[in-house]
Amino acid sequence: MALIEVKNIAKVYGMEENLTYALRDVSFSIEKGEFVSLMGPSGSGKSTLLHILGFLDRHTSGTYLFDGKTIDDYSPNELAHVRNKKMGFVFQQFNLLARASVLENVKLPLLYSEVEKSLWDKLAKDKIEAVGLTHRMNHTPAELSGGEKQRVAIARALINDPDIVFADEPTGNLDSKTGKDVMEIIQDLNKNEKRTIILITHETQTAEHAKRIIRVYDGEIESDNVVQNRRWASDGFKK
């Protein structure tokens, strides 16, 4: 069974004669452990699609199955649990609390979890160490570079050990070198930790870190192809 299955999804805004289709007749499936890029220009519908996949918005018509269940199969409490426990989110704007330390920011999703509070610090410190920021643990976002902020966001996304990570333009506010470093961390989550990754981007070079690229244009699927380049080989990523 696919982790994600999308069948003829449409997202429509407006009323009657003023309808705008953000998505139209979108269909695809994503298996557990895949690394997929949803690629397209601004306004193509890729972020709308991410919001639907992440249960942050509802589609207008069609069917979306996550782990074999539609959004209507979940109660409000179950939806909150799925978003918090099974899904991790990394955004272009980082979305860190300005007055909180790195440690406090990474612990934030645990407030809504069933994890014992006595374990919070250890779990957060482990994730912070995994992204190479132990030396910044007590700093606030204002004291961090853009790349460091995104590493914090990745650590926070992983704190509840999610099945899937949604990364929405994670390199959009970073220079090319820092962006490459961040993408290698995300790629490692897929290669070594076997997490499912869905990457939203408008950049070809960023999209090619995935093993599969679904191109979205004007709300429709333009193409869906396995990436064939030197970034990936039988034994993984080639730097």
Side-chain angles (χ1 to χ4, degrees), residues 84-102:
N84 183 254
K85 176 61 180 174
K86 294 191 175 184
M87 299 176 175
F89 297 88
V90 179
F91 297 102
Q92 179 178 350
Q93 301 297 334
F94 316 126
N95 293 346
L96 302 178
L97 298 180
R99 297 183 179 180
S101 68
V102 166

Side-chain angles (χ1 to χ4, degrees), residues 15-32:
M15 299 288 290
E16 298 179 355
E17 296 180 359
N18 296 314
L19 296 179
T20 299
Y21 280 81
L23 296 171
R24 188 192 301 266
D25 196 29
V26 170
S27 299
F28 59 85
S29 62
I30 295 174
E31 302 292 332
K32 291 181 180 179

Side-chain angles (χ1 to χ4, degrees), residues 215-227:
R215 296 180 187 272
V216 185
Y217 189 77
D218 283 350
E220 299 182 89
I221 301 298
E222 186 178 52
S223 64
D224 184 349
N225 298 304
V226 174
V227 176

Side-chain angles (χ1 to χ4, degrees), residues 130-156:
V131 297
L133 283 181
T134 300
H135 63 297
R136 295 293 213 178
M137 195 174 303
N138 297 313
H139 291 245
T140 62
E143 301 171 297
L144 305 178
S145 68
E148 288 172 334
K149 291 176 185 177
Q150 198 57 288
R151 287 171 184 253
V152 176
I154 292 170
R156 181 184 58 193

Side-chain angles (χ1 to χ4, degrees), residues 32-45:
K32 291 181 180 179
E34 278 200 86
F35 185 172
V36 180
S37 287
L38 298 177
M39 181 184 170
S42 178
S44 62

Side-chain angles (χ1 to χ4, degrees), residues 55 58 70-72 74-84:
F55 288 153
R58 287 178 177 262
T70 72
I71 191 169
D72 294 323
Y74 294 96
S75 69
N77 285 340
E78 287 172 333
L79 277 177
H81 175 77
V82 168
R83 281 193 297 262
N84 183 254

